[in-house]
Short mmCIF file of all heavy atoms in Angstrom, two decimals:
data_model
loop_
_atom_site.label_atom_id
_atom_site.label_comp_id
_atom_site.label_asym_id
_atom_site.label_seq_id
_atom_site.Cartn_x
_atom_site.Cartn_y
_atom_site.Cartn_z
N ARG K 26 10.01 10.48 1.52
CA ARG K 26 11.01 11.49 1.83
C ARG K 26 10.40 12.90 1.82
O ARG K 26 10.57 13.66 2.77
CB ARG K 26 12.16 11.42 0.81
CG ARG K 26 13.17 12.56 0.91
CD ARG K 26 13.84 12.60 2.27
NE ARG K 26 14.68 13.78 2.40
CZ ARG K 26 15.26 14.16 3.53
NH1 ARG K 26 15.11 13.43 4.62
NH2 ARG K 26 16.01 15.24 3.58
N ARG K 27 9.65 13.21 0.79
CA ARG K 27 9.16 14.57 0.60
C ARG K 27 8.05 14.93 1.58
O ARG K 27 7.92 16.08 1.99
CB ARG K 27 8.67 14.71 -0.85
CG ARG K 27 8.46 16.12 -1.32
CD ARG K 27 8.15 16.14 -2.82
NE ARG K 27 9.36 15.88 -3.62
CZ ARG K 27 9.37 15.78 -4.95
NH1 ARG K 27 8.23 15.91 -5.62
NH2 ARG K 27 10.49 15.55 -5.59
N PHE K 28 7.25 13.94 1.96
CA PHE K 28 6.10 14.19 2.84
C PHE K 28 6.14 13.25 4.04
O PHE K 28 5.12 12.70 4.44
CB PHE K 28 4.80 14.05 2.07
CG PHE K 28 4.73 14.88 0.83
CD1 PHE K 28 4.83 14.28 -0.42
CD2 PHE K 28 4.62 16.26 0.90
CE1 PHE K 28 4.79 15.05 -1.57
CE2 PHE K 28 4.59 17.03 -0.25
CZ PHE K 28 4.68 16.43 -1.49
N ALA K 29 7.32 13.08 4.61
CA ALA K 29 7.48 12.18 5.75
C ALA K 29 6.59 12.59 6.91
O ALA K 29 6.09 11.73 7.66
CB ALA K 29 8.94 12.16 6.19
N HIS K 30 6.34 13.88 7.05
CA HIS K 30 5.51 14.34 8.16
C HIS K 30 4.05 13.93 7.99
O HIS K 30 3.27 14.00 8.95
CB HIS K 30 5.59 15.86 8.25
CG HIS K 30 5.08 16.58 7.03
ND1 HIS K 30 5.77 16.56 5.84
CD2 HIS K 30 3.96 17.32 6.83
CE1 HIS K 30 5.09 17.27 4.94
NE2 HIS K 30 4.00 17.73 5.51
N ARG K 31 3.69 13.45 6.79
CA ARG K 31 2.32 13.05 6.54
C ARG K 31 2.15 11.53 6.48
O ARG K 31 1.15 10.99 6.95
CB ARG K 31 1.82 13.65 5.20
CG ARG K 31 1.79 15.18 5.17
CD ARG K 31 0.69 15.73 6.05
NE ARG K 31 -0.64 15.33 5.58
CZ ARG K 31 -1.36 16.03 4.68
NH1 ARG K 31 -0.86 17.14 4.16
NH2 ARG K 31 -2.55 15.63 4.33
N ILE K 32 3.11 10.84 5.88
CA ILE K 32 2.94 9.39 5.65
C ILE K 32 4.04 8.55 6.29
O ILE K 32 4.13 7.35 6.00
CB ILE K 32 2.86 9.08 4.14
CG1 ILE K 32 4.14 9.53 3.41
CG2 ILE K 32 1.64 9.70 3.52
CD1 ILE K 32 4.16 9.10 1.95
N ALA K 33 4.85 9.14 7.14
CA ALA K 33 5.87 8.37 7.85
C ALA K 33 5.77 8.63 9.35
O ALA K 33 6.75 8.56 10.08
CB ALA K 33 7.27 8.70 7.35
N THR K 34 4.56 8.93 9.80
CA THR K 34 4.31 9.15 11.22
C THR K 34 4.20 7.79 11.93
O THR K 34 4.02 6.75 11.29
CB THR K 34 3.00 9.93 11.40
OG1 THR K 34 1.92 9.17 10.86
CG2 THR K 34 3.07 11.28 10.68
N PRO K 35 4.31 7.78 13.27
CA PRO K 35 4.19 6.50 14.00
C PRO K 35 2.89 5.75 13.68
O PRO K 35 2.90 4.51 13.58
CB PRO K 35 4.23 6.94 15.47
CG PRO K 35 5.07 8.18 15.45
CD PRO K 35 4.70 8.88 14.18
N ARG K 36 1.80 6.47 13.50
CA ARG K 36 0.53 5.80 13.19
C ARG K 36 0.61 5.08 11.84
O ARG K 36 0.18 3.93 11.71
CB ARG K 36 -0.62 6.81 13.17
CG ARG K 36 -1.97 6.19 12.84
CD ARG K 36 -3.06 7.25 12.79
NE ARG K 36 -3.19 7.94 14.06
CZ ARG K 36 -4.04 8.94 14.28
NH1 ARG K 36 -4.83 9.38 13.30
NH2 ARG K 36 -4.12 9.51 15.46
N TYR K 37 1.18 5.77 10.86
CA TYR K 37 1.31 5.15 9.55
C TYR K 37 2.30 3.99 9.58
O TYR K 37 2.11 2.97 8.90
CB TYR K 37 1.76 6.19 8.52
CG TYR K 37 0.63 6.91 7.86
CD1 TYR K 37 0.21 8.16 8.32
CD2 TYR K 37 -0.05 6.36 6.78
CE1 TYR K 37 -0.85 8.83 7.73
CE2 TYR K 37 -1.10 7.03 6.17
CZ TYR K 37 -1.50 8.26 6.65
OH TYR K 37 -2.55 8.93 6.06
N LYS K 38 3.36 4.13 10.36
CA LYS K 38 4.33 3.05 10.46
C LYS K 38 3.69 1.78 11.02
O LYS K 38 3.98 0.67 10.58
CB LYS K 38 5.52 3.48 11.32
CG LYS K 38 6.39 4.56 10.69
CD LYS K 38 7.50 4.99 11.62
CE LYS K 38 8.33 6.12 11.00
NZ LYS K 38 9.41 6.58 11.91
N MET K 39 2.81 1.94 12.00
CA MET K 39 2.09 0.79 12.53
C MET K 39 1.18 0.19 11.47
O MET K 39 1.06 -1.04 11.34
CB MET K 39 1.27 1.22 13.74
CG MET K 39 0.47 0.08 14.39
SD MET K 39 1.54 -1.26 14.99
CE MET K 39 2.41 -0.41 16.32
N PHE K 40 0.55 1.05 10.67
CA PHE K 40 -0.31 0.57 9.58
C PHE K 40 0.51 -0.23 8.56
O PHE K 40 0.08 -1.30 8.13
CB PHE K 40 -0.96 1.78 8.90
CG PHE K 40 -1.67 1.46 7.63
CD1 PHE K 40 -2.84 0.72 7.62
CD2 PHE K 40 -1.16 1.89 6.41
CE1 PHE K 40 -3.50 0.42 6.44
CE2 PHE K 40 -1.82 1.61 5.22
CZ PHE K 40 -2.99 0.87 5.24
N TYR K 41 1.70 0.25 8.23
CA TYR K 41 2.55 -0.46 7.28
C TYR K 41 2.97 -1.82 7.86
O TYR K 41 3.01 -2.82 7.14
CB TYR K 41 3.81 0.33 6.95
CG TYR K 41 3.54 1.70 6.36
CD1 TYR K 41 4.32 2.80 6.71
CD2 TYR K 41 2.49 1.90 5.47
CE1 TYR K 41 4.08 4.05 6.17
CE2 TYR K 41 2.24 3.15 4.93
CZ TYR K 41 3.03 4.23 5.29
OH TYR K 41 2.77 5.48 4.77
N CYS K 42 3.27 -1.85 9.15
CA CYS K 42 3.70 -3.09 9.79
C CYS K 42 2.58 -4.13 9.76
O CYS K 42 2.81 -5.29 9.40
CB CYS K 42 4.13 -2.80 11.23
SG CYS K 42 4.67 -4.27 12.13
N ILE K 43 1.37 -3.71 10.12
CA ILE K 43 0.24 -4.63 10.12
C ILE K 43 -0.05 -5.12 8.70
O ILE K 43 -0.30 -6.31 8.47
CB ILE K 43 -1.01 -3.95 10.73
CG1 ILE K 43 -0.76 -3.66 12.22
CG2 ILE K 43 -2.25 -4.83 10.55
CD1 ILE K 43 -1.86 -2.84 12.86
N GLY K 44 -0.02 -4.19 7.75
CA GLY K 44 -0.25 -4.56 6.36
C GLY K 44 0.79 -5.54 5.85
O GLY K 44 0.47 -6.48 5.11
N PHE K 45 2.03 -5.32 6.24
CA PHE K 45 3.12 -6.21 5.84
C PHE K 45 2.89 -7.62 6.37
O PHE K 45 3.05 -8.61 5.65
CB PHE K 45 4.45 -5.63 6.35
CG PHE K 45 5.66 -6.44 5.99
CD1 PHE K 45 5.80 -6.99 4.71
CD2 PHE K 45 6.66 -6.66 6.91
CE1 PHE K 45 6.93 -7.72 4.38
CE2 PHE K 45 7.78 -7.40 6.60
CZ PHE K 45 7.92 -7.94 5.32
N ILE K 46 2.50 -7.73 7.64
CA ILE K 46 2.24 -9.04 8.24
C ILE K 46 1.09 -9.74 7.52
O ILE K 46 1.18 -10.95 7.22
CB ILE K 46 1.95 -8.89 9.74
CG1 ILE K 46 3.20 -8.39 10.47
CG2 ILE K 46 1.46 -10.21 10.33
CD1 ILE K 46 2.97 -8.04 11.92
N ILE K 47 0.02 -9.02 7.26
CA ILE K 47 -1.12 -9.61 6.56
C ILE K 47 -0.71 -10.10 5.18
O ILE K 47 -1.10 -11.19 4.74
CB ILE K 47 -2.28 -8.59 6.45
CG1 ILE K 47 -2.85 -8.29 7.84
CG2 ILE K 47 -3.38 -9.10 5.51
CD1 ILE K 47 -3.89 -7.19 7.84
N CYS K 48 0.09 -9.29 4.48
CA CYS K 48 0.52 -9.67 3.13
C CYS K 48 1.43 -10.89 3.16
O CYS K 48 1.37 -11.75 2.26
CB CYS K 48 1.23 -8.50 2.47
SG CYS K 48 0.12 -7.17 1.98
N LEU K 49 2.28 -11.00 4.19
CA LEU K 49 3.10 -12.20 4.31
C LEU K 49 2.24 -13.44 4.51
O LEU K 49 2.55 -14.51 3.99
CB LEU K 49 4.09 -12.04 5.48
CG LEU K 49 5.27 -11.11 5.26
CD1 LEU K 49 6.15 -11.07 6.49
CD2 LEU K 49 6.09 -11.53 4.05
N LEU K 50 1.16 -13.29 5.26
CA LEU K 50 0.24 -14.41 5.43
C LEU K 50 -0.39 -14.79 4.10
O LEU K 50 -0.58 -15.98 3.80
CB LEU K 50 -0.85 -14.04 6.44
CG LEU K 50 -0.38 -13.89 7.89
CD1 LEU K 50 -1.54 -13.42 8.78
CD2 LEU K 50 0.18 -15.20 8.42
N LEU K 51 -0.69 -13.80 3.27
CA LEU K 51 -1.25 -14.09 1.95
C LEU K 51 -0.26 -14.87 1.08
O LEU K 51 -0.64 -15.76 0.33
CB LEU K 51 -1.65 -12.79 1.24
CG LEU K 51 -2.87 -12.06 1.80
CD1 LEU K 51 -3.09 -10.75 1.05
CD2 LEU K 51 -4.12 -12.93 1.69
N THR K 52 1.02 -14.52 1.18
CA THR K 52 2.02 -15.26 0.40
C THR K 52 2.11 -16.71 0.86
O THR K 52 2.34 -17.61 0.05
CB THR K 52 3.41 -14.60 0.51
OG1 THR K 52 3.89 -14.68 1.86
CG2 THR K 52 3.36 -13.13 0.09
N GLN K 53 1.92 -16.93 2.18
CA GLN K 53 1.94 -18.31 2.67
C GLN K 53 0.72 -19.08 2.15
O GLN K 53 0.83 -20.25 1.76
CB GLN K 53 1.93 -18.32 4.21
CG GLN K 53 3.07 -17.56 4.85
CD GLN K 53 4.43 -18.02 4.37
OE1 GLN K 53 4.79 -19.18 4.52
NE2 GLN K 53 5.19 -17.12 3.77
N ILE K 54 -0.43 -18.41 2.14
CA ILE K 54 -1.65 -19.04 1.60
C ILE K 54 -1.45 -19.41 0.14
O ILE K 54 -1.80 -20.52 -0.30
CB ILE K 54 -2.86 -18.10 1.78
CG1 ILE K 54 -3.18 -17.93 3.27
CG2 ILE K 54 -4.07 -18.64 1.02
CD1 ILE K 54 -4.24 -16.89 3.54
N GLU K 55 -0.87 -18.48 -0.61
CA GLU K 55 -0.65 -18.73 -2.03
C GLU K 55 0.31 -19.89 -2.23
O GLU K 55 0.09 -20.77 -3.07
CB GLU K 55 -0.11 -17.46 -2.69
CG GLU K 55 0.01 -17.53 -4.21
CD GLU K 55 1.29 -18.21 -4.66
OE1 GLU K 55 2.33 -18.08 -3.97
OE2 GLU K 55 1.25 -18.88 -5.71
N TRP K 56 1.38 -19.93 -1.44
CA TRP K 56 2.40 -20.97 -1.60
C TRP K 56 1.85 -22.35 -1.27
O TRP K 56 1.88 -23.26 -2.09
CB TRP K 56 3.59 -20.65 -0.69
CG TRP K 56 4.52 -21.81 -0.51
CD1 TRP K 56 4.54 -22.69 0.53
CD2 TRP K 56 5.55 -22.24 -1.41
NE1 TRP K 56 5.53 -23.63 0.36
CE2 TRP K 56 6.16 -23.39 -0.82
CE3 TRP K 56 6.03 -21.78 -2.61
CZ2 TRP K 56 7.20 -24.06 -1.42
CZ3 TRP K 56 7.08 -22.45 -3.22
CH2 TRP K 56 7.65 -23.58 -2.63
N PHE K 57 1.34 -22.51 -0.06
CA PHE K 57 0.88 -23.82 0.38
C PHE K 57 -0.37 -24.26 -0.38
O PHE K 57 -0.56 -25.46 -0.65
CB PHE K 57 0.62 -23.83 1.88
CG PHE K 57 1.88 -23.77 2.69
CD1 PHE K 57 2.25 -22.62 3.34
CD2 PHE K 57 2.72 -24.89 2.78
CE1 PHE K 57 3.42 -22.56 4.09
CE2 PHE K 57 3.89 -24.85 3.52
CZ PHE K 57 4.25 -23.68 4.18
N GLY K 58 -1.23 -23.31 -0.73
CA GLY K 58 -2.40 -23.64 -1.50
C GLY K 58 -2.06 -24.18 -2.88
O GLY K 58 -2.70 -25.11 -3.38
N ARG K 59 -1.00 -23.63 -3.47
CA ARG K 59 -0.59 -24.07 -4.81
C ARG K 59 0.16 -25.39 -4.74
O ARG K 59 -0.04 -26.29 -5.55
CB ARG K 59 0.27 -23.00 -5.47
CG ARG K 59 0.78 -23.36 -6.86
CD ARG K 59 1.37 -22.13 -7.54
NE ARG K 59 2.38 -21.49 -6.72
CZ ARG K 59 3.66 -21.86 -6.69
NH1 ARG K 59 4.07 -22.91 -7.40
NH2 ARG K 59 4.52 -21.22 -5.93
N ILE K 60 1.06 -25.53 -3.75
CA ILE K 60 1.88 -26.73 -3.64
C ILE K 60 1.03 -27.96 -3.33
O ILE K 60 1.22 -29.04 -3.89
CB ILE K 60 2.97 -26.55 -2.57
CG1 ILE K 60 3.99 -25.51 -3.04
CG2 ILE K 60 3.66 -27.87 -2.27
CD1 ILE K 60 4.73 -25.88 -4.32
N TYR K 61 0.04 -27.80 -2.44
CA TYR K 61 -0.75 -28.94 -2.02
C TYR K 61 -2.10 -29.03 -2.73
O TYR K 61 -2.92 -29.89 -2.39
CB TYR K 61 -0.97 -28.88 -0.51
CG TYR K 61 0.31 -29.05 0.27
CD1 TYR K 61 0.92 -27.97 0.90
CD2 TYR K 61 0.93 -30.30 0.37
CE1 TYR K 61 2.11 -28.12 1.60
CE2 TYR K 61 2.12 -30.46 1.07
CZ TYR K 61 2.71 -29.36 1.69
OH TYR K 61 3.88 -29.51 2.38
N GLY K 62 -2.31 -28.17 -3.71
CA GLY K 62 -3.53 -28.25 -4.50
C GLY K 62 -4.79 -27.91 -3.73
O GLY K 62 -5.89 -28.32 -4.11
N ILE K 63 -4.65 -27.14 -2.66
CA ILE K 63 -5.81 -26.78 -1.85
C ILE K 63 -6.63 -25.69 -2.54
O ILE K 63 -7.87 -25.69 -2.48
CB ILE K 63 -5.35 -26.29 -0.45
CG1 ILE K 63 -4.57 -27.39 0.26
CG2 ILE K 63 -6.56 -25.85 0.38
CD1 ILE K 63 -3.93 -26.93 1.55
N LEU K 64 -5.93 -24.78 -3.18
CA LEU K 64 -6.59 -23.66 -3.83
C LEU K 64 -6.47 -23.81 -5.35
O LEU K 64 -5.48 -24.35 -5.85
CB LEU K 64 -5.95 -22.33 -3.39
CG LEU K 64 -6.04 -22.01 -1.90
CD1 LEU K 64 -5.26 -20.75 -1.57
CD2 LEU K 64 -7.49 -21.86 -1.45
N PRO K 65 -7.44 -23.29 -6.09
CA PRO K 65 -7.35 -23.34 -7.56
C PRO K 65 -6.23 -22.44 -8.06
O PRO K 65 -5.78 -21.52 -7.37
CB PRO K 65 -8.71 -22.83 -8.02
CG PRO K 65 -9.21 -21.99 -6.88
CD PRO K 65 -8.69 -22.65 -5.63
#
């Protein structure tokens, strides 16, 4: 809110979107890896 002109620009919004997608993939890796014993 206070510095929207610095960290809420279209470029940053795209960065947040990409980061969010990558993190969701990590949650899937964590879930399926734990359920099926693929990952320690």
Side-chain angles (χ1 to χ4, degrees):
R26 172 60 187 172
R27 195 172 286 177
F28 307 107
H30 62 290
R31 298 289 296 272
I32 60 174
T34 61
R36 179 182 300 178
Y37 271 96
K38 291 177 183 179
M39 180 60 67
F40 170 70
Y41 302 141
C42 180
I43 294 173
F45 180 42
I46 293 172
I47 293 174
C48 288
L49 286 181
L50 291 176
L51 289 176
T52 65
Q53 303 305 300
I54 293 172
E55 187 277 326
W56 165 263
F57 289 106
R59 179 168 53 85
I60 292 299
Y61 294 105
I63 301 172
L64 299 175

